[in-house]
Every structure is written in C-alpha cells, then in structure tokens.
Amino acid sequence: MHKPHIGHRAFGSLPDGRQARLYTLVNRNGMIVRISDYGGVITEIHTPDRHGFFTDITLGYDTVAPYSHESPYFGALIGRFGNRIARGRFELDGETVQLPLNDGANHLHGGTGGFHKVLWEAAPFQDGDVCGLTLTYLSVDGEQGYPGNLRVKVVYALGDDNTLGVKFHAETDRATPVNLTQHAYFNLAGHGSVLGHEFTIDADAYLPVDAGLIPEGGPAGVAGTPFDFRSARKLGARVGEPHEQLARGSGYDHNYVLNAGAGGAAVRVREPVSGRVLELFTDQPGVQLYSGNFLDGSLSGKGWRYGHRGGFCIEPQHFPDAPNQPRFANTILRPGEQYETESRFRFSVQR
C-alpha cells in the first residue's frame, strides 16, 4: 500500500519564459495522475491491468513545449466554450458577439488562446485519503472575443477508489457563454488502436451534424444506427460503415444526449486484453465521443507515436453551438449566478 501524497517538479519553459510545473498525485493503491498548471493538462494516468501491472493510459508529452505548440488538446482543460460555435458568432442581449475562427468557418474549444493555452494558478491539497490540485484563472473581458471577466476554478481530486474527480466553478461580471470540459485522450491498453475497446453509452439519442460538425435538426435516435452503444460494443465494430454522419466526422465525433436521471455511469469503456475499465459519471447533459480520427502518426510523446485512432475522448459537456440553438439547454452565465459542474472518471479492472 502507498501513502496518498502529492508532489511537483519543473515541467519546462513556455515561449515567453514563464515556467510550467507538473504535479503528481498518488493514491493508496499506487495509481498516479500527473497534471500541469499549463492548460490544466492531464499528462499521465497510471492504472493497473488484471495482473497488477501499471501502464500510462493517456496520450500526452514529457515536457510542456509540445503542449504550447502542436497538441490537439491532449489532456487539456477546455473553455470558455467546449466544442464548436457556428461561424464563431451568436446574439447575446441584443448584441452580436464575434469570436475568432479556428476550425474552418467555426470557433472551437475557446479559440487558439483558450484555457488549454494559459498558465493557471495552482494549489495542491490533501484531505485525508484524497489528494488533489486546485487551479484558478481569470479570463478577462474580451479574451478570445468573449464578453465579461470570468473567474474559473477547477478542482482535480484523486481518491482511494481510483476515481479522479473534476469539479468546475465559474462566476462572471457580464453575461457570457460557458461550457467547460476536460479533453483527455485515453487508451486503456497503453498504446495501439482503440478500436477493440468495448463502449457502453447511456444515451438513446445523439446529435447529427452538418459538414462543419455543427448540430443540425435536433437529436436523433441511435436505434438501428452505428451510434447505438446502449449495449457494449467495440468502438470499431461499425465505425467503417457507409453512414453519412460517420463520413462527416471521419468516424465518431458526435455529442450524445445522455439519458436523464439514469444514475449510473454515462459511459463505460472496457479494454478486453488488459481488463481495464473506465467509467464516466457526470451531471452534464451530453458527452462528446471522439474516436481519434485525426491522429495520423505525426505526433509522438512519452516514447509512443500516436497513430490513427490511437486514443479516444469522452468529453462531458453541454451541447455544441448552444448559444445559437435555443432548443438546447442554456449555456449563458450571468452576473450573480454560479456555474457548477462535476464529472468523475473511475478506473477499475474486470478480471
């Protein structure tokens, strides 16, 4: 058994000379989570397989430099608005807000200078058997085009049940859209293709998208489609089928409408060879499933080259383009209100 603890070390220099740090969380079972104050990125997660052998199961880099240049959001905190906003434009209280376009004709994940590209204030903590890291950041009025000064706090907490909790809190002095999420890439085998991972997603519907990956036409039922993961199915079982939505996303890159009030895991993923299991619990209405479609072997880190579909993302969040789609749940935060959301990633082994 290990004594729960948290430590830190230097993680390298940013282009402007500021120094990033890397924090290591260890629980009683020896599970390790490493998080940087740059971008709030989760750089490593070490969990055991059915034989007790620990492996790093998340994609990332050994130093901060690649995160500041070439990273496709590996392990990062995302904000102010996760996912896409069509044309980077929306109406808010009678005014048109224009955000920068960084995904073709759309705005993605808070812009090129979103929360994944900022140095957060970090405060490690230990509370009994829980060790964690609190990150805070002030996103000033006009940053990446967003109105209002937004104060954000994120709390990572690792418990002895091998659960990593992620709590978000935000307040603003002016109405602004907020949709925060965590963008870890997982591979429960450690490396190689994730198409053999078995997925269960507690959702009867998903959001079809247009050619720009903006939701169109409202939710659609998953029954009878390659998007049906209500029962365990390998990620690669139907990803290659000739389906218009799979063609538009180059695979899975879609938001699932989670069944409300189900109480169990929103997503369960099992890697059959290692026996590793990942469960996501969240209070968010949706989760974005991304099957690593644009990984092409050009990026490498921690001794591995990240090939096509070498990692997957399950990003708990509100729905894409919500500021432009009134039928979706509200994502506008106003002065005096509190933005609060929590997700938990639980790791276990099925023997």
Side-chain angles (χ1 to χ4, degrees):
M1 299 293 285
H2 298 254
K3 182 178 180 181
H5 65 276
I6 181 169
H8 61 84
R9 63 174 174 83
F11 196 46
S13 300
L14 298 172
D16 61 7
R18 290 179 299 166
Q19 300 297 304
R21 301 198 71 79
L22 186 67
Y23 294 81
T24 299
L25 285 61
V26 182
N27 73 3
R28 193 175 301 278
N29 305 313
M31 179 178 166
I32 297 171
V33 178
R34 291 194 169 100
I35 303 166
S36 177
D37 54 2
Y38 180 76
V41 295
I42 297 174
T43 68
E44 300 177 35
I45 300 176
H46 296 254
T47 67
D49 65 7
R50 58 165 53 96
H51 303 294
F53 295 110
F54 281 76
T55 298
D56 180 9
I57 59 168
T58 190
L59 279 58
Y61 301 112
D62 290 311
T63 66
V64 75
Y67 289 104
S68 65
H69 296 297
E70 63 181 9
S71 176
Y73 308 100
F74 283 156
L77 295 177
I78 301 297
R80 290 188 191 186
F81 198 93
N83 221 306
R84 294 169 176 86
I85 295 178
R87 305 174 307 283
R89 185 184 310 149
F90 56 91
E91 298 294 320
L92 181 57
D93 296 340
E95 297 183 5
T96 299
V97 178
Q98 180 65 58
L99 307 175
L101 306 181
N102 63 322
D103 184 57
N106 301 316
H107 177 84
L108 175 66
H109 290 337
T112 56
F115 291 175
H116 63 295
K117 295 289 190 182
V118 303
L119 191 65
W120 295 67
E121 291 288 334
F125 68 86
Q126 189 160 348
D127 183 7
D129 291 335
V130 175
C131 55
L133 186 69
T134 299
L135 299 172
T136 54
Y137 179 67
L138 172 61
S139 176
V140 298
D141 183 29
E143 183 173 285
Q144 295 295 295
Y146 288 92
N149 295 295
L150 186 74
R151 295 187 178 275
V152 184
K153 180 172 72 172
V154 181
V155 180
Y156 288 109
L158 177 62
D160 279 347
D161 59 351
N162 285 5
T163 294
L164 178 65
V166 188
K167 290 184 180 180
F168 294 95
H169 174 90
E171 301 177 17
T172 185
D173 61 4
R174 185 180 172 192
T176 189
V178 180
N179 184 24
L180 309 180
T181 191
Q182 219 297 328
H183 204 296
Y185 283 67
F186 297 102
N187 185 323
L188 300 185
H191 61 278
S193 172
V194 296
L195 294 183
H197 287 48
E198 298 170 352
F199 278 69
T200 307
I201 302 177
D202 189 11
D204 297 329
Y206 76 107
L207 298 177
V209 295
D210 64 17
L213 301 183
I214 300 295
E216 65 172 2
V222 300
T225 78
F227 293 86
D228 191 351
F229 288 96
R230 291 175 297 177
S231 298
R233 174 181 289 162
K234 289 184 178 181
L235 187 65
R238 302 185 67 180
V239 71
E241 291 188 5
H243 189 283
E244 181 181 46
Q245 285 297 309
L246 292 174
R248 288 180 176 179
S250 298
Y252 295 108
D253 194 1
H254 296 75
N255 210 279
Y256 279 78
V257 181
L258 297 175
N259 293 329
V267 181
R268 184 180 189 272
V269 186
R270 174 180 174 268
E271 201 286 300
V273 177
S274 68
R276 290 188 181 90
V277 175
L278 166 58
E279 294 171 290
L280 168 65
F281 300 84
T282 184
D283 55 17
Q284 294 283 65
V287 62
Q288 185 83 4
L289 172 63
Y290 175 58
S291 52
N293 311 317
F294 299 108
L295 296 174
D296 60 5
S298 62
L299 301 178
S300 59
K302 299 184 294 185
W304 300 108
R305 187 166 296 278
Y306 299 133
H308 189 225
R309 299 195 171 123
F312 68 88
C313 302
I314 45 174
E315 309 156 48
Q317 57 188 249
H318 273 63
F319 300 140
D321 198 36
N324 291 313
Q325 306 209 26
R327 64 181 177 273
F328 292 164
N330 174 58
T331 55
I332 303 300
L333 182 68
R334 296 184 178 277
E337 297 177 344
Q338 307 281 316
Y339 176 94
E340 301 274 2
T341 183
E342 180 179 6
S343 298
R344 293 177 293 120
F345 298 87
R346 186 169 70 188
F347 302 89
S348 60
V349 175
Q350 183 175 322
R351 300 183 187 279

